[in-house]
mmCIF file of all heavy atoms in Angstrom:
data_model
loop_
_atom_site.group_PDB
_atom_site.id
_atom_site.type_symbol
_atom_site.label_atom_id
_atom_site.label_comp_id
_atom_site.label_asym_id
_atom_site.label_seq_id
_atom_site.Cartn_x
_atom_site.Cartn_y
_atom_site.Cartn_z
ATOM 1 N N ILE A 1 -16.962 22.116 -11.011
ATOM 2 C CA ILE A 1 -15.718 21.343 -11.030
ATOM 3 C C ILE A 1 -15.977 20.041 -11.767
ATOM 4 O O ILE A 1 -16.886 19.285 -11.417
ATOM 5 C CB ILE A 1 -15.209 21.043 -9.605
ATOM 6 C CG1 ILE A 1 -15.002 22.335 -8.823
ATOM 7 C CG2 ILE A 1 -13.913 20.239 -9.660
ATOM 8 C CD1 ILE A 1 -14.569 22.104 -7.385
ATOM 9 N N GLU A 2 -15.186 19.789 -12.806
ATOM 10 C CA GLU A 2 -15.305 18.548 -13.569
ATOM 11 C C GLU A 2 -13.945 17.860 -13.652
ATOM 12 O O GLU A 2 -12.917 18.516 -13.825
ATOM 13 C CB GLU A 2 -15.825 18.809 -14.974
ATOM 14 C CG GLU A 2 -17.319 19.046 -15.050
ATOM 15 C CD GLU A 2 -17.841 18.980 -16.473
ATOM 16 O OE1 GLU A 2 -17.028 19.082 -17.411
ATOM 17 O OE2 GLU A 2 -19.055 18.811 -16.638
ATOM 18 N N VAL A 3 -13.971 16.538 -13.530
ATOM 19 C CA VAL A 3 -12.762 15.725 -13.672
ATOM 20 C C VAL A 3 -12.820 15.053 -15.037
ATOM 21 O O VAL A 3 -13.785 14.340 -15.348
ATOM 22 C CB VAL A 3 -12.662 14.678 -12.558
ATOM 23 C CG1 VAL A 3 -11.369 13.865 -12.703
ATOM 24 C CG2 VAL A 3 -12.709 15.344 -11.184
ATOM 25 N N ARG A 4 -11.786 15.280 -15.830
ATOM 26 C CA ARG A 4 -11.708 14.683 -17.179
ATOM 27 C C ARG A 4 -10.439 13.839 -17.260
ATOM 28 O O ARG A 4 -9.339 14.369 -17.125
ATOM 29 C CB ARG A 4 -11.706 15.773 -18.246
ATOM 30 C CG ARG A 4 -12.967 16.636 -18.229
ATOM 31 C CD ARG A 4 -12.886 17.773 -19.245
ATOM 32 N NE ARG A 4 -14.080 18.594 -19.219
ATOM 33 C CZ ARG A 4 -15.172 18.359 -19.950
ATOM 34 N NH1 ARG A 4 -15.186 17.324 -20.790
ATOM 35 N NH2 ARG A 4 -16.226 19.141 -19.860
ATOM 36 N N LEU A 5 -10.611 12.546 -17.465
ATOM 37 C CA LEU A 5 -9.490 11.619 -17.443
ATOM 38 C C LEU A 5 -9.407 10.806 -18.730
ATOM 39 O O LEU A 5 -10.433 10.428 -19.318
ATOM 40 C CB LEU A 5 -9.607 10.661 -16.256
ATOM 41 C CG LEU A 5 -9.501 11.269 -14.854
ATOM 42 C CD1 LEU A 5 -9.733 10.200 -13.802
ATOM 43 C CD2 LEU A 5 -8.152 11.941 -14.660
ATOM 44 N N LEU A 6 -8.175 10.521 -19.133
ATOM 45 C CA LEU A 6 -7.884 9.631 -20.249
ATOM 46 C C LEU A 6 -7.170 8.404 -19.712
ATOM 47 O O LEU A 6 -6.175 8.518 -18.989
ATOM 48 C CB LEU A 6 -6.988 10.341 -21.272
ATOM 49 C CG LEU A 6 -6.448 9.480 -22.426
ATOM 50 C CD1 LEU A 6 -7.576 9.054 -23.362
ATOM 51 C CD2 LEU A 6 -5.355 10.227 -23.187
ATOM 52 N N ASN A 7 -7.690 7.221 -20.034
ATOM 53 C CA ASN A 7 -7.030 5.971 -19.692
ATOM 54 C C ASN A 7 -6.078 5.611 -20.830
ATOM 55 O O ASN A 7 -6.512 5.249 -21.927
ATOM 56 C CB ASN A 7 -8.064 4.861 -19.496
ATOM 57 C CG ASN A 7 -7.417 3.526 -19.159
ATOM 58 O OD1 ASN A 7 -6.254 3.459 -18.805
ATOM 59 N ND2 ASN A 7 -8.193 2.456 -19.279
ATOM 60 N N THR A 8 -4.774 5.744 -20.575
ATOM 61 C CA THR A 8 -3.784 5.490 -21.624
ATOM 62 C C THR A 8 -3.375 4.029 -21.711
ATOM 63 O O THR A 8 -2.525 3.681 -22.537
ATOM 64 C CB THR A 8 -2.533 6.354 -21.394
ATOM 65 O OG1 THR A 8 -1.932 6.001 -20.138
ATOM 66 C CG2 THR A 8 -2.887 7.835 -21.385
ATOM 67 N N HIS A 9 -3.954 3.177 -20.852
ATOM 68 C CA HIS A 9 -3.715 1.738 -20.974
ATOM 69 C C HIS A 9 -5.064 1.031 -21.022
ATOM 70 O O HIS A 9 -5.586 0.569 -20.010
ATOM 71 C CB HIS A 9 -2.883 1.204 -19.810
ATOM 72 C CG HIS A 9 -2.539 -0.245 -19.960
ATOM 73 N ND1 HIS A 9 -3.226 -1.246 -19.316
ATOM 74 C CD2 HIS A 9 -1.604 -0.872 -20.706
ATOM 75 C CE1 HIS A 9 -2.723 -2.416 -19.638
ATOM 76 N NE2 HIS A 9 -1.732 -2.223 -20.488
ATOM 77 N N ALA A 10 -5.631 1.002 -22.227
ATOM 78 C CA ALA A 10 -6.916 0.346 -22.472
ATOM 79 C C ALA A 10 -6.710 -0.674 -23.587
ATOM 80 O O ALA A 10 -7.002 -0.406 -24.762
ATOM 81 C CB ALA A 10 -7.981 1.377 -22.857
ATOM 82 N N PRO A 11 -6.183 -1.865 -23.270
ATOM 83 C CA PRO A 11 -5.806 -2.829 -24.313
ATOM 84 C C PRO A 11 -6.974 -3.366 -25.122
ATOM 85 O O PRO A 11 -6.763 -3.982 -26.174
ATOM 86 C CB PRO A 11 -5.121 -3.949 -23.510
ATOM 87 C CG PRO A 11 -5.655 -3.812 -22.125
ATOM 88 C CD PRO A 11 -5.902 -2.357 -21.915
ATOM 89 N N GLN A 12 -8.217 -3.125 -24.679
ATOM 90 C CA GLN A 12 -9.376 -3.598 -25.435
ATOM 91 C C GLN A 12 -9.658 -2.741 -26.664
ATOM 92 O O GLN A 12 -10.487 -3.114 -27.505
ATOM 93 C CB GLN A 12 -10.622 -3.646 -24.544
ATOM 94 C CG GLN A 12 -11.125 -2.299 -24.043
ATOM 95 C CD GLN A 12 -10.545 -1.898 -22.708
ATOM 96 O OE1 GLN A 12 -9.388 -2.182 -22.428
ATOM 97 N NE2 GLN A 12 -11.351 -1.264 -21.875
ATOM 98 N N TYR A 13 -8.971 -1.593 -26.787
ATOM 99 C CA TYR A 13 -9.168 -0.707 -27.932
ATOM 100 C C TYR A 13 -7.913 -0.687 -28.802
ATOM 101 O O TYR A 13 -6.793 -0.814 -28.292
ATOM 102 C CB TYR A 13 -9.495 0.713 -27.462
ATOM 103 C CG TYR A 13 -10.796 0.793 -26.696
ATOM 104 C CD1 TYR A 13 -10.804 0.901 -25.310
ATOM 105 C CD2 TYR A 13 -12.016 0.715 -27.356
ATOM 106 C CE1 TYR A 13 -11.986 0.950 -24.601
ATOM 107 C CE2 TYR A 13 -13.213 0.758 -26.658
ATOM 108 C CZ TYR A 13 -13.197 0.878 -25.278
ATOM 109 O OH TYR A 13 -14.366 0.916 -24.574
ATOM 110 N N SER A 14 -8.112 -0.501 -30.080
ATOM 111 C CA SER A 14 -6.983 -0.548 -31.014
ATOM 112 C C SER A 14 -5.968 0.551 -30.736
ATOM 113 O O SER A 14 -4.777 0.382 -30.964
ATOM 114 C CB SER A 14 -7.487 -0.442 -32.456
ATOM 115 O OG SER A 14 -8.209 0.762 -32.646
ATOM 116 N N GLY A 15 -6.443 1.698 -30.242
ATOM 117 C CA GLY A 15 -5.525 2.780 -29.926
ATOM 118 C C GLY A 15 -4.976 2.738 -28.522
ATOM 119 O O GLY A 15 -4.194 3.611 -28.124
ATOM 120 N N ASP A 16 -5.372 1.726 -27.742
ATOM 121 C CA ASP A 16 -4.902 1.544 -26.364
ATOM 122 C C ASP A 16 -5.237 2.716 -25.452
ATOM 123 O O ASP A 16 -4.575 2.913 -24.424
ATOM 124 C CB ASP A 16 -3.393 1.296 -26.322
ATOM 125 C CG ASP A 16 -3.027 -0.093 -26.816
ATOM 126 O OD1 ASP A 16 -3.913 -0.962 -26.807
ATOM 127 O OD2 ASP A 16 -1.880 -0.297 -27.227
ATOM 128 N N ALA A 17 -6.239 3.514 -25.783
ATOM 129 C CA ALA A 17 -6.604 4.658 -24.942
ATOM 130 C C ALA A 17 -8.107 4.883 -25.007
ATOM 131 O O ALA A 17 -8.759 4.587 -26.018
ATOM 132 C CB ALA A 17 -5.859 5.911 -25.377
ATOM 133 N N GLU A 18 -8.661 5.404 -23.903
ATOM 134 C CA GLU A 18 -10.096 5.673 -23.841
ATOM 135 C C GLU A 18 -10.341 6.816 -22.863
ATOM 136 O O GLU A 18 -9.792 6.846 -21.757
ATOM 137 C CB GLU A 18 -10.861 4.441 -23.373
ATOM 138 C CG GLU A 18 -12.363 4.673 -23.239
ATOM 139 C CD GLU A 18 -13.058 3.555 -22.480
ATOM 140 O OE1 GLU A 18 -12.382 2.856 -21.706
ATOM 141 O OE2 GLU A 18 -14.290 3.410 -22.652
ATOM 142 N N TYR A 19 -11.193 7.773 -23.271
ATOM 143 C CA TYR A 19 -11.603 8.836 -22.368
ATOM 144 C C TYR A 19 -12.713 8.349 -21.451
ATOM 145 O O TYR A 19 -13.655 7.681 -21.894
ATOM 146 C CB TYR A 19 -12.088 10.051 -23.152
ATOM 147 C CG TYR A 19 -10.967 10.898 -23.716
ATOM 148 C CD1 TYR A 19 -10.560 10.748 -25.036
ATOM 149 C CD2 TYR A 19 -10.308 11.835 -22.920
ATOM 150 C CE1 TYR A 19 -9.530 11.521 -25.562
ATOM 151 C CE2 TYR A 19 -9.276 12.609 -23.438
ATOM 152 C CZ TYR A 19 -8.898 12.443 -24.747
ATOM 153 O OH TYR A 19 -7.874 13.209 -25.265
ATOM 154 N N LEU A 20 -12.610 8.677 -20.177
ATOM 155 C CA LEU A 20 -13.701 8.422 -19.246
ATOM 156 C C LEU A 20 -14.747 9.516 -19.387
ATOM 157 O O LEU A 20 -14.411 10.651 -19.761
ATOM 158 C CB LEU A 20 -13.190 8.406 -17.802
ATOM 159 C CG LEU A 20 -12.549 7.118 -17.278
ATOM 160 C CD1 LEU A 20 -11.274 6.779 -18.042
ATOM 161 C CD2 LEU A 20 -12.264 7.246 -15.786
ATOM 162 N N PRO A 21 -16.010 9.242 -19.095
ATOM 163 C CA PRO A 21 -17.016 10.308 -19.116
ATOM 164 C C PRO A 21 -16.634 11.404 -18.117
ATOM 165 O O PRO A 21 -16.136 11.104 -17.027
ATOM 166 C CB PRO A 21 -18.309 9.594 -18.698
ATOM 167 C CG PRO A 21 -18.061 8.149 -18.972
ATOM 168 C CD PRO A 21 -16.601 7.927 -18.758
ATOM 169 N N PRO A 22 -16.855 12.682 -18.451
ATOM 170 C CA PRO A 22 -16.568 13.751 -17.481
ATOM 171 C C PRO A 22 -17.335 13.532 -16.184
ATOM 172 O O PRO A 22 -18.503 13.139 -16.194
ATOM 173 C CB PRO A 22 -17.035 15.012 -18.214
ATOM 174 C CG PRO A 22 -16.993 14.661 -19.663
ATOM 175 C CD PRO A 22 -17.343 13.200 -19.735
ATOM 176 N N HIS A 23 -16.677 13.793 -15.087
ATOM 177 C CA HIS A 23 -17.268 13.570 -13.766
ATOM 178 C C HIS A 23 -17.497 14.910 -13.082
ATOM 179 O O HIS A 23 -16.575 15.691 -12.890
ATOM 180 C CB HIS A 23 -16.356 12.697 -12.912
ATOM 181 C CG HIS A 23 -16.845 12.502 -11.504
ATOM 182 N ND1 HIS A 23 -17.793 11.559 -11.172
ATOM 183 C CD2 HIS A 23 -16.535 13.146 -10.355
ATOM 184 C CE1 HIS A 23 -18.027 11.619 -9.876
ATOM 185 N NE2 HIS A 23 -17.288 12.580 -9.351
ATOM 186 N N LYS A 24 -18.745 15.175 -12.707
ATOM 187 C CA LYS A 24 -19.120 16.415 -12.032
ATOM 188 C C LYS A 24 -18.921 16.257 -10.531
ATOM 189 O O LYS A 24 -19.385 15.284 -9.924
ATOM 190 C CB LYS A 24 -20.582 16.739 -12.328
ATOM 191 C CG LYS A 24 -21.077 18.038 -11.718
ATOM 192 C CD LYS A 24 -20.655 19.234 -12.531
ATOM 193 C CE LYS A 24 -21.360 20.496 -12.046
ATOM 194 N NZ LYS A 24 -20.966 21.675 -12.829
ATOM 195 N N VAL A 25 -18.246 17.249 -9.905
ATOM 196 C CA VAL A 25 -17.947 17.214 -8.481
ATOM 197 C C VAL A 25 -18.889 18.145 -7.737
ATOM 198 O O VAL A 25 -19.063 19.307 -8.117
ATOM 199 C CB VAL A 25 -16.492 17.639 -8.211
ATOM 200 C CG1 VAL A 25 -16.188 17.649 -6.708
ATOM 201 C CG2 VAL A 25 -15.529 16.712 -8.939
ATOM 202 N N ALA A 26 -19.515 17.642 -6.667
ATOM 203 C CA ALA A 26 -20.306 18.505 -5.800
ATOM 204 C C ALA A 26 -19.362 19.398 -5.008
ATOM 205 O O ALA A 26 -18.332 18.938 -4.513
ATOM 206 C CB ALA A 26 -21.162 17.667 -4.850
ATOM 207 N N THR A 27 -19.693 20.687 -4.866
ATOM 208 C CA THR A 27 -18.769 21.643 -4.253
ATOM 209 C C THR A 27 -19.037 21.889 -2.777
ATOM 210 O O THR A 27 -18.406 22.738 -2.164
ATOM 211 C CB THR A 27 -18.811 22.983 -5.006
ATOM 212 O OG1 THR A 27 -20.164 23.444 -5.078
ATOM 213 C CG2 THR A 27 -18.246 22.832 -6.404
ATOM 214 N N GLU A 28 -19.960 21.165 -2.159
ATOM 215 C CA GLU A 28 -20.134 21.266 -0.714
ATOM 216 C C GLU A 28 -18.928 20.630 -0.039
ATOM 217 O O GLU A 28 -18.561 19.490 -0.316
ATOM 218 C CB GLU A 28 -21.407 20.538 -0.275
ATOM 219 C CG GLU A 28 -21.633 20.588 1.229
ATOM 220 C CD GLU A 28 -22.857 19.803 1.640
ATOM 221 O OE1 GLU A 28 -23.575 19.322 0.737
ATOM 222 O OE2 GLU A 28 -23.102 19.651 2.838
#
């Protein structure tokens, strides 16, 4: 299970968007 998120309000970047690193979920 991986969580993949895009931050669509990232004013520090010219495109105002930034992908977060994929997050691995433990399945226990």
Side-chain angles (χ1 to χ4, degrees):
I1 303 177
E2 282 193 342
V3 182
R4 299 176 180 271
L5 295 176
L6 173 68
N7 179 15
T8 62
H9 184 260
Q12 66 269 36
Y13 297 103
S14 59
D16 287 339
E18 178 193 23
Y19 282 98
L20 278 64
H23 176 82
K24 182 80 170 180
V25 178
T27 54
E28 179 183 354

